[in-house]
Amino acid sequence: MTVLTGTGLHKRYGNLHVLDDVGFTAAAGEAIGIVGPNGAGKTTLLNVLAGSVTPDSGTVRLGGDDVTRSGPQIRCRRGIGRAHQIPRPFGGMTVLENVLVGATYGAGLRGRAAHRHGIEVLRRCELLDLADRRAETLGLLHRKRLEMARAVATGPRVLLLDEIGAGLTDAEAAELVTTIRDLVAAGITVVWIEHIVHVLLQVVDRLICMDAGKVIADGEPTAVLRDAVVVDAYLGKGR
Ligand SMILES: Nc1ncnc2c1ncn2[C@@H]1O[C@H](COP(=O)(O)OP(=O)(O)OP(=O)(O)O)[C@@H](O)[C@H]1O
């Protein structure tokens, strides 16, 4: 069953054709990686799927409904969660309070139900021990975890992750892999932009490669990485 679809997506900034007839589908429970050189249009695609950028043309469908003109808050309530590349927690709030924002405004929970849900999300995202810590005191790994936990707290069908591994050590990224795998196993569809390909490959069952606003490959990860067009555009001819 398809949960999220983008069809014929175009986005221009001035003369720059950032999305050039991009098509995208995600089936329920899939884990999809998106790779490509800097400036390929990956984050713009995520923005268009999440609703923070409106495409010039094309449609986005969530579970069959056209959400192209719906803003990010509406899409969030309807099941698209998003973790940004640079985590921006509410610094003066505790870790639990941050997650409760997602539970309240995204999942529509109140009172004890929101609290119970928030605790469960912190457990799944391995932040329970830090529930009462002020978010501004967290190190990068825990900030990344909190960025993801806030999105998970909204109760997403689809979780969009933008370079969640960036800036982490290999050991830290490996810890995140375990958490993301658990989310996929729990039935959440994950769409993950990441430059650290070996980390991505531990989670995803499909890989999309973008270059200059176009999808240049989409399929089984090892096949995509061997594709001559992908090697040329992204991995370098020397490999
Ligand atoms: N709001 C904007 N206004 C003008 N240009 C933009 C805007 N957003 C993105 N761009 C440009 O569009 C191109 C694609 O950007 P995007 O962030 O989608 O690429 P990316 O593949 O995610 O790159 P990276 O891997 O470096 O994050 C870049 O050249 C970027 O400078």
Side-chain angles (χ1 to χ4, degrees):
M1 192 184 68
T2 302
V3 279
L4 187 61
T5 315
T7 310
L9 297 170
H10 286 269
K11 184 70 192 177
R12 287 176 185 274
Y13 290 111
N15 290 330
L16 200 59
H17 206 159
V18 180
L19 295 182
D20 183 358
D21 196 23
V22 169
F24 173 87
T25 57
E30 247 187 329
I32 302 168
I34 303 182
V35 297
N38 293 118
K42 304 179 298 293
T43 297
T44 305
L45 174 61
L46 232 58
N47 288 340
V48 165
L49 296 173
S52 50
V53 164
T54 306
D56 299 333
S57 58
T59 51
V60 179
R61 289 182 171 273
L62 177 60
D65 297 330
D66 189 337
V67 295
T68 315
R69 304 285 143 193
S70 306
Q73 294 87 349
I74 290 173
R75 288 195 212 181
C76 174
R77 274 184 236 120
R78 296 185 63 173
I80 299 183
R82 198 235 170 112
H84 291 83
Q85 184 175 352
I86 300 170
R88 289 198 180 87
F90 302 112
M93 291 184 180
T94 67
V95 166
L96 177 59
E97 286 165 348
N98 266 272
V99 165
L100 289 179
V101 173
T104 306
Y105 295 101
L109 299 170
R110 299 284 180 277
R112 279 191 192 173
H115 191 268
R116 259 200 311 273
H117 178 66
I119 294 290
E120 172 57 16
V121 169
L122 291 185
R123 190 193 60 72
R124 289 168 81 182
C125 295
E126 306 214 19
L127 285 170
L128 199 50
D129 292 349
L130 300 171
D132 297 327
R133 275 273 291 276
R134 280 164 70 103
E136 64 201 359
T137 68
L138 298 176
L140 183 62
L141 173 62
H142 291 127
R143 276 175 181 256
K144 297 257 182 184
R145 284 193 176 282
L146 181 53
E147 179 68 17
M148 199 160 68
R150 279 200 307 193
V152 171
T154 66
R157 281 187 274 172
V158 183
L159 179 62
L160 308 176
L161 302 174
D162 196 348
E163 294 195 42
I164 198 89
L168 300 179
T169 65
D170 275 0
E172 290 171 335
E175 279 189 44
L176 270 192
V177 160
T178 306
T179 304
I180 297 168
R181 272 186 172 159
D182 288 347
L183 297 173
V184 174
I188 298 176
T189 301
V190 166
V191 183
W192 182 4
I193 295 175
E194 190 57 74
H195 283 292
I196 314 171
V197 176
H198 70 274
V199 168
L200 197 58
L201 293 183
Q202 293 173 47
V203 176
V204 302
D205 38 47
R206 201 176 122 208
L207 198 61
I208 293 172
C209 184
M210 294 183 68
D211 183 35
K214 289 182 182 289
V215 170
I216 58 168
D218 181 349
E220 195 275 319
T222 45
V224 166
L225 291 174
R226 282 198 202 115
D227 187 320
V229 177
V230 172
V231 172
D232 195 20
Y234 182 49
L235 299 171
K237 289 178 183 166
R239 275 176 64 137

